[in-house]
Amino acid sequence: MVLGTYKEAVSARSTDSKILDVSQDGGIVSALLCYALDEGIIEGAVVAGTPDEDWRPVPTVVTSADEVIAAAGTKYSMSPTLSALKEATRQYGLEKVGVVATPCQTQGLRKAQAYPFTRFVAEKVKLIIGIYCMENFPMASLDTFATAKLGFDSLQDATKMDIGKGKFWLTKDGEDNGLAIKETHGYEQAGCNICNDYVCEWADVSTGSVGSPDGWSTVLTRTDDGASVFNAAVEAGLIETKPMDEVKPGLPLLEKLAKGKKDKNNAERERRAKMGVKVPTIY
Amino acid sequence: MFEKLKKAFGGSKDEAAPKVEEKVEAAVETPVEAAPEAAPEAAPAKPRIGYIHLSGCTGDAMSLTENYDILSTVLTDMIDIVYGQTLVDKWIHGTYAEEMPEMDLCLIEGSVCLQDEHSVHELLEARKKSGLIAAFGSCAVTGCFTTFARGGQQAQPKHESFLPISSLVKVDLALPGCPVAPEVIAKAVVALCEGDLDYLKPAMDWAACDKGCGCDVLTNVIRQGLCTGCGTCALACPTRAMGFSEGRPSCDRDRCIKCGSCYMMCPRSWLPEGRIKKETGL
C-alpha cells in the first residue's frame, strides 16, 4: 500500500481559531497535542520549535497548550527531535510522551521501541503524530532560496514558509513569493534521497497538507491509539472533518506523490548499492 | 506466566490453542483446570544460561535484574542460570564448581584483560562450553571505556590491554549498551527461548563488532550520504556526547566512551522493518 496501513483517511481542521491563526494547514498536530495534554493521554511532547524565530528548528519539550501553539508551523530544516526525547523522559521526568515526527524520525523511534537499546525511554512514547515529508533542507539551502533566488535581504524577512502547488513559498510583507520546486532540487539533504516514506507510515496518526484544500489537512489514522485520540478529539469538537472523497484533490494526489517518492528514492538506493556505497540494512 | 512475558515484550501472539479454549469456555464454562493438560508432553528443557564477569562493572548484570516485573518469572520458569558469580555462586574459581558446565548461552560482560591469565582462560573455556556466546554490554562488544586503559596502576601495573571479547573468541550475539538496556535484554531472552532468530538477527550480525565510537555516525552515516538529522544517535548516547551542527550529529569525543550505541541505534545503519510492522500492526 502506497500510503502504508491506515484505518481511515479524512480531511480535517482544528475548530480553535487560536490554533488556526498560527498553524501551517489545518492545525491538526496542535489540536491533537492540546487534546492529548488536556486529557492526560500525554504529559508533554517533543516538537520542533523556533526559539529565536529565525526559522532554525530546535527540538523542544512542551507541556502546555500555550507552548504547543508557540511551536506551531512547519520549519523546513532538520530538527533532531529524538535527541530531546531523552530530555523529556529524564529532566522533565515525563512518563507519557507525545512526539511530532517526520518519517525518518518515526523510523528511529519505532526502531528504538522494537530494539530498546536505550533504557526506559521508548516505552514512554504514547503518541506519535507523523507529518508528511517529501524532503528536508539544510538552513543554508533555505537562505539560498530567500536571498539568491527570491531576492530577499535575509531569510528572516519571511513570515511564513510553505511548499504547495508546485512551489516553495515565502511570505514577506504579506505577499507570497513562489519559487518553482524545480529550483529547489539539488538543495535537499542527501539522506532524503533514499527515503521511501512520504506519509509517515509508522506513526499513530499522520497528517499533512496534500490532498486537502488550503487551511485543511489530510489525516490518516493508523494505530488503535492514534485512531482513538483523533476520534475523541473530533467527538470533543476540537476538530472538524470532511470525508476524503468530498474534497479536492483528495487521496489520488497523495497516492501519486507517495508513489513518486518511493519509486525515485528506491531507484537511488539501488544506484548507491551498485556503486558500493552504504545503504541501510533492512531486516 | 509465559503468556504475560510474551505479551509484555511483543513475542509471537498467534497461538493456535486459545481459539478452541474460548469456544469451549463460552459454551459450558469449563473449569480453568482443563487447560494445563497439554503441558506434560512438551516440557522443553529450559535454556541453560551462564554469566561471566570479565573486566566489567556489573552494570549489565544489574540491568538484567532491572526487569523487576518479570525477573522472577524469567529466572524460575524460563531459564536456568547454571554458571556465574553474581546471580548464582557457581563459577570456575569459586567454591561450587571446579568445572565449567555446558551452557546454551553464555552472557559475557566486560572486556578481557590480556595480562590476566584467569580472564583469558575463563573466556576460552566458555567458548568451548557454550552453544552461543553473547557479548553482553559495550565493554564486551567494543571495549567501551576500557579502550582507554593503559596500565601503570597499583596493584597490577602490567594490566594494560583490554580487548573486546570477539578479539579472542567467536562471538555469536552482540548486545551493546553502557549498560545494555533492561528491555532489550528481556526481549533477547524471550526471543532466545522462543527460537525467534529473526529478532536476534541484527544482534547476530553485530557479533563480529569490535569497535564503536561517536565517529561511527560520521564515518558510516553522514559520510555515506545517509544522515537525516533525526536525533536517534543522541537519544542513544549515554554520556550526552552527541550534539548537533547544521542538522548533523557532532560527537564530543572527550565525552564519548566508545560504547557504539549511537550507530547501533541509527535507523540508517539498520532498520527492523519486519519487526516494527509486527509490533505496531502497520
Side-chain angles (χ1 to χ4, degrees):
Chain A
M1 251 184 300
V2 76
L3 298 181
T5 306
Y6 63 92
K7 293 175 187 295
E8 205 184 359
V10 292
S11 193
R13 76 172 174 193
S14 163
T15 54
D16 184 341
S17 61
K18 258 201 310 202
I19 289 177
L20 288 175
D21 283 348
V22 293
S23 64
Q24 190 74 13
D25 301 297
I28 297 302
V29 173
S30 300
L32 284 177
L33 285 181
C34 289
Y35 178 75
L37 279 170
D38 254 13
E39 294 297 312
I41 296 163
I42 56 172
E43 298 164 342
V46 183
V47 304
T50 40
D52 298 328
E53 308 226 331
D54 59 355
W55 292 108
R56 186 181 291 276
V58 175
T60 307
V61 181
V62 295
T63 54
S64 69
D66 285 346
E67 289 172 316
V68 168
I69 288 167
T74 307
K75 297 95 198 169
Y76 286 93
S77 195
M78 290 79 81
S79 179
T81 292
L82 299 194
S83 62
L85 185 53
K86 194 164 211 167
E87 202 180 329
T89 51
R90 303 280 200 271
Q91 278 97 323
Y92 284 73
L94 305 181
E95 291 292 326
K96 296 182 280 184
V97 188
V99 180
V100 180
T102 60
C104 57
Q105 292 166 351
T106 304
Q107 288 173 352
L109 198 42
R110 290 297 190 199
K111 175 176 173 178
Q113 288 177 334
Y115 287 83
F117 279 102
T118 300
R119 53 173 39 215
F120 308 142
V121 171
E123 64 188 19
K124 294 177 179 170
V125 173
K126 301 299 178 198
L127 180 64
I128 305 177
I129 303 177
I131 42 185
Y132 306 165
C133 179
M134 189 56 86
E135 59 203 0
N136 203 355
F137 301 96
M139 285 305 293
S141 296
L142 300 180
D143 285 334
T144 303
F145 301 158
T147 57
K149 291 186 183 275
L150 290 172
F152 290 20
D153 289 335
S154 154
L155 177 66
Q156 298 218 40
D157 295 346
T159 51
K160 175 151 184 170
M161 197 180 288
D162 196 19
I163 294 179
K165 302 188 183 70
K167 289 196 168 163
F168 179 94
W169 300 94
L170 283 182
T171 309
K172 181 187 158 196
D173 301 330
E175 194 185 323
D176 296 336
N177 301 269
L179 182 69
I181 285 290
K182 211 186 269 177
E183 291 281 311
T184 69
H185 289 166
Y187 287 90
E188 74 281 6
Q189 63 173 343
C192 294
N193 295 143
I194 61 146
C195 175
N196 51 19
D197 185 356
Y198 174 49
V199 287
C200 215
E201 297 177 23
W202 290 342
D204 289 310
V205 45
S206 19
T207 182
S209 65
V210 170
S212 290
D214 283 350
W216 289 73
S217 300
T218 303
V219 178
L220 300 168
T221 55
R222 298 185 181 281
T223 61
D224 290 342
D225 288 347
S228 92
V229 172
F230 180 76
N231 293 333
V234 172
E235 205 124 300
L238 300 179
I239 291 173
E240 56 177 320
T241 66
K242 284 184 194 170
M244 210 52 223
D245 49 15
E246 280 176 22
V247 300
K248 291 277 184 229
L251 280 190
L253 181 64
L254 194 63
E255 283 165 353
K256 186 184 150 201
L257 293 187
K259 181 167 187 307
K261 179 172 180 180
K262 275 184 198 294
D263 290 348
K264 180 164 152 265
N265 293 349
N266 283 338
E268 170 67 6
R269 206 178 270 237
E270 275 170 38
R271 190 185 72 88
R272 290 192 193 184
K274 256 187 214 154
M275 265 199 299
V277 177
K278 264 188 198 301
V279 291
T281 307
I282 307 296
Y283 290 96
Chain B
M1 286 296 231
F2 251 100
E3 294 313 308
K4 189 179 144 206
L5 275 182
K6 283 181 192 171
K7 218 176 144 197
F9 290 98
S12 54
K13 289 176 210 145
D14 37 321
E15 224 76 346
K19 263 188 185 166
V20 185
E21 276 178 17
E22 269 169 29
K23 275 182 198 160
V24 173
E25 268 181 24
V28 272
E29 278 196 59
T30 314
V32 194
E33 283 88 285
E37 217 181 276
E41 46 102 80
K46 290 187 272 186
R48 296 161 299 172
I49 311 267
Y51 164 75
I52 288 180
H53 188 270
L54 295 178
S55 295
C57 68
T58 330
D60 301 298
M62 283 181 64
S63 209
L64 166 69
T65 66
E66 277 181 87
N67 286 295
Y68 304 113
D69 296 348
I70 61 161
L71 188 65
S72 64
T73 310
V74 171
L75 294 183
T76 52
D77 295 353
M78 295 185 75
I79 61 173
D80 275 331
I81 294 195
V82 295
Y83 186 72
Q85 64 184 111
T86 307
L87 296 167
V88 294
D89 191 5
K90 289 178 186 170
W91 59 297
I92 199 165
H93 303 296
T95 50
Y96 273 65
E98 284 309 320
E99 201 176 321
M100 194 181 279
E102 301 277 329
M103 295 170 272
D104 296 306
L105 169 73
C106 185
L107 304 169
I108 300 183
E109 171 170 356
S111 59
V112 57
C113 176
L114 269 188
Q115 291 83 28
D116 174 13
E117 62 174 296
H118 295 295
S119 293
V120 173
H121 174 69
E122 201 177 10
L123 176 60
L124 296 179
E125 193 68 9
R127 181 63 278 183
K128 283 186 216 152
K129 300 282 189 175
S130 311
L132 294 171
I133 283 199
F136 188 55
S138 286
C139 279
V141 180
T142 69
C144 202
F145 59 82
T146 66
T147 302
F148 301 107
R150 55 182 61 186
Q153 290 182 316
Q154 297 297 0
Q156 297 286 357
K158 192 184 172 184
H159 284 193
E160 71 172 57
S161 319
F162 294 78
L163 288 171
I165 61 170
S166 64
S167 305
L168 296 195
V169 298
K170 179 179 174 291
V171 171
D172 302 291
L173 206 67
L175 295 173
C178 186
V180 55
E183 303 99 304
V184 88
I185 300 171
K187 286 183 92 156
V189 169
V190 170
L192 188 85
C193 292
E194 293 186 337
D196 181 359
L197 293 186
D198 285 347
Y199 186 76
L200 299 174
K201 187 75 182 15
M204 289 157 82
D205 286 354
W206 222 256
C209 175
D210 63 356
K211 55 179 82 66
C213 180
C215 303
D216 296 347
V217 294
L218 181 66
T219 316
N220 298 336
V221 188
I222 301 175
R223 202 170 66 178
Q224 303 282 339
L226 294 172
C227 184
T228 64
C230 68
T232 311
C233 49
L235 171 63
C237 179
T239 63
R240 297 177 195 248
M242 206 60 88
F244 286 84
S245 171
E246 297 307 325
R248 294 287 174 264
S250 174
C251 179
D252 176 349
R253 273 172 290 169
D254 288 338
R255 288 187 75 103
C256 172
I257 54 168
K258 294 185 179 285
C259 69
S261 300
C262 48
Y263 184 54
M264 180 72 169
M265 283 309 292
C266 172
R268 289 296 173 93
S269 64
W270 56 277
L271 191 63
E273 273 191 21
R275 183 71 188 190
I276 290 171
K277 286 178 180 167
K278 190 174 160 191
E279 285 192 6
T280 58
L282 293 173

